[in-house]
Amino acid sequence: MTDGMDWLDHASGIVAHDAPNAYAAVVPPIVQTSLFTFESYAEMEAVYRGLKQRPAYSRGLNPTTRIFEEKVAELEGTEDALSFASGMAAISSTVLTFVSLGERILAVRNVYPDAYRLFETFAKRMGVQVDYIDGLDEVAVEKALPGAKLFYMESPTSWTMEAHDVGTLARLARDAGVMTVIDNSWASPVFQNPIALGVDLVLHSASKYLGGHSDVVAGVVAGPAALINRIRSETHPYLGGKLSPFEGWLLIRGLRTLPIRMKAHEASGLEVARRLRAHQAVESVAHPGLANALPQGLRGTSGLFSFVFREGIDVARFADALSTFSLGVSWGGHESLVVPGAIVRAQAAQPNSAVAFGIHPRSVRLHVGLEGTERLWNDIEAAIDAATL
Ligand SMILES: *Cc1c(COP(=O)(O)O)cnc(C)c1O
């Protein structure tokens, strides 16, 4: 996995090059530098001829962000990973590495809206064809795959929470000779490992659960070394959307509590979803954990889901009456958040933003944070009372 990276002691995460034991600190250093100097002409030449791998310039390789990458590769059970300044940088760099002029992307419907907008830009400006398919309809997926260069997946989908059988979709794509990429931000590596299910590349908005504290915008893609090396050599350094050492350090810190945070989001999120489903003000709840069974390969659920109010509830009044839940996009941090579907629909009505998907005007998306289930439920119940017309 890390051939030639002898400047880093992988077990300890200590940079061997200039700090053999890093003072025996339990936390790796933030190597906040743009460039790294060489001891000799011979060493510099060896690095630039590709005979020796060590940092030269932080746009390409930085010891702190490298530790984060190695941890993500291990969590996803794969060979290598590459970090980015945002989840969107990871998505755009990955797609641009593998899709060329005139080729076709097949994507599951209801993908993350900004991924959709990126694909629309590729379609309009670069002659890339993009088709969308219901990932729950495996017969339709099988029919649509032939001829595609890339099958772009996300499961569950961001708002509608359609949870796909990722292993079956990956097998259909492999049979059709189509490369697969999946956005695994929702489940995190704690609850879903798509590489083991046959997907080629897995990416994350690390701004969400991997960071977990709403203080970083970052992204990462993980997979076999051969594919990651293509991204590393063809687009990552030239588009230049690299992760900063400080943010890499924050992400390393976030990863240390990822499993316990995910279990807490799961327990609280599922309980709030169950109570909402039983509430007379609620028409339906979209949460994969409320189905009879989770799809194969999904081992748990997170804190993000949506629901639809019955008529007679003023969604704006509901949102304003909440106090522990704050109005705000993004998710994955410690705090609980609410986004009214009507606002996403209003944004979609703007020019160049035509993506409302199946978002119901009376729908609400919640991120259930770590404040405690009873406190969150009391907040929701009181807000529903205040919003009942
Ligand atoms: C937030 C998000 C992204 C984009 O990530 P950024 O870090 O904001 O660029 C991609 N996919 C999903 C599912 C997201 O929620």
Side-chain angles (χ1 to χ4, degrees), residues 37-111:
T37 56
F38 300 95
E39 268 157 29
S40 64
Y41 180 101
E43 191 199 15
M44 189 171 188
E45 188 188 32
V47 169
Y48 279 88
R49 287 178 64 186
L51 302 173
K52 179 177 180 180
Q53 224 180 342
R54 51 145 285 190
Y57 187 51
S58 280
R59 173 149 55 76
L61 184 58
N62 174 277
T64 310
T65 61
R66 183 64 197 157
I67 293 168
F68 168 66
E69 291 167 352
E70 293 186 345
K71 286 181 185 299
V72 171
E74 198 164 328
L75 283 167
E76 285 292 9
T78 188
E79 290 175 336
D80 203 356
L82 195 54
S83 58
F84 293 85
S86 68
M88 284 311 303
I91 294 170
S92 54
S93 202
T94 300
V95 173
L96 277 170
T97 300
F98 297 102
V99 178
S100 304
L101 180 76
E103 292 181 329
R104 176 167 161 261
I105 299 171
L106 183 68
V108 296
R109 68 176 191 189
N110 300 336
V111 287

Side-chain angles (χ1 to χ4, degrees), residues 56-316:
Y57 187 51
S58 280
R59 173 149 55 76
L61 184 58
N62 174 277
T64 310
T65 61
R66 183 64 197 157
I67 293 168
F68 168 66
E69 291 167 352
E70 293 186 345
K71 286 181 185 299
V72 171
E74 198 164 328
L75 283 167
E76 285 292 9
T78 188
E79 290 175 336
D80 203 356
L82 195 54
S83 58
F84 293 85
S86 68
M88 284 311 303
I91 294 170
S92 54
S93 202
T94 300
V95 173
L96 277 170
T97 300
F98 297 102
V99 178
S100 304
L101 180 76
E103 292 181 329
R104 176 167 161 261
I105 299 171
L106 183 68
V108 296
R109 68 176 191 189
N110 300 336
V111 287
Y112 178 67
D114 283 350
Y116 172 89
R117 293 183 184 106
L118 175 74
F119 297 159
E120 291 307 291
T121 299
F122 286 166
K124 272 188 222 133
R125 307 273 297 277
M126 294 174 44
V128 170
Q129 188 188 330
V130 190
D131 295 319
Y132 296 89
I133 192 83
D134 178 358
L136 296 170
D137 186 344
E138 287 156 13
V139 175
V141 171
E142 187 172 12
K143 268 198 208 139
L145 276 166
K149 182 67 192 292
L150 186 83
F151 184 30
Y152 185 89
M153 303 155 71
E154 181 182 324
S155 182
T157 51
S158 296
W159 192 287
T160 49
M161 302 294 144
E162 293 155 29
H164 307 134
D165 182 336
V166 171
T168 297
L169 297 187
R171 184 177 48 74
L172 292 173
R174 193 149 289 193
D175 290 349
V178 180
M179 185 183 164
T180 45
V181 173
I182 190 166
D183 183 334
N184 198 30
S185 307
W186 185 90
S188 89
V190 173
F191 290 141
Q192 186 165 258
N193 293 122
I195 302 285
L197 299 171
V199 177
D200 292 312
L201 287 171
V202 53
L203 55 84
H204 292 270
S205 168
S207 324
K208 313 295 164 56
Y209 287 126
L210 300 188
H213 296 76
S214 307
D215 49 13
V216 176
V217 173
V220 62
V221 58
L227 294 179
I228 296 298
N229 274 331
R230 281 202 53 193
I231 305 171
R232 183 180 281 124
S233 62
E234 293 178 33
T235 58
H236 177 267
Y238 314 124
L239 294 175
K242 60 99 188 145
L243 182 64
S244 80
F246 179 55
E247 291 185 304
W249 183 87
L250 285 171
L251 290 168
I252 293 165
R253 188 169 82 148
L255 288 182
R256 291 177 169 175
T257 54
L258 182 64
I260 54 172
R261 285 189 285 109
M262 292 310 293
K263 276 164 203 144
H265 286 296
E266 174 179 49
S268 234
L270 203 48
E271 184 58 27
V272 169
R274 285 197 184 111
R275 292 186 193 181
L276 278 169
R277 185 173 61 174
H279 198 289
Q280 80 260 8
V282 172
E283 189 169 292
S284 61
V285 180
H287 185 304
L290 296 183
N292 291 333
L294 292 175
Q296 191 89 28
L298 184 61
R299 298 184 297 270
T301 58
S302 66
L304 187 78
F305 67 95
S306 66
F307 67 95
V308 178
F309 275 123
R310 287 192 201 285
E311 278 178 56
I313 301 293
D314 183 330
V315 177

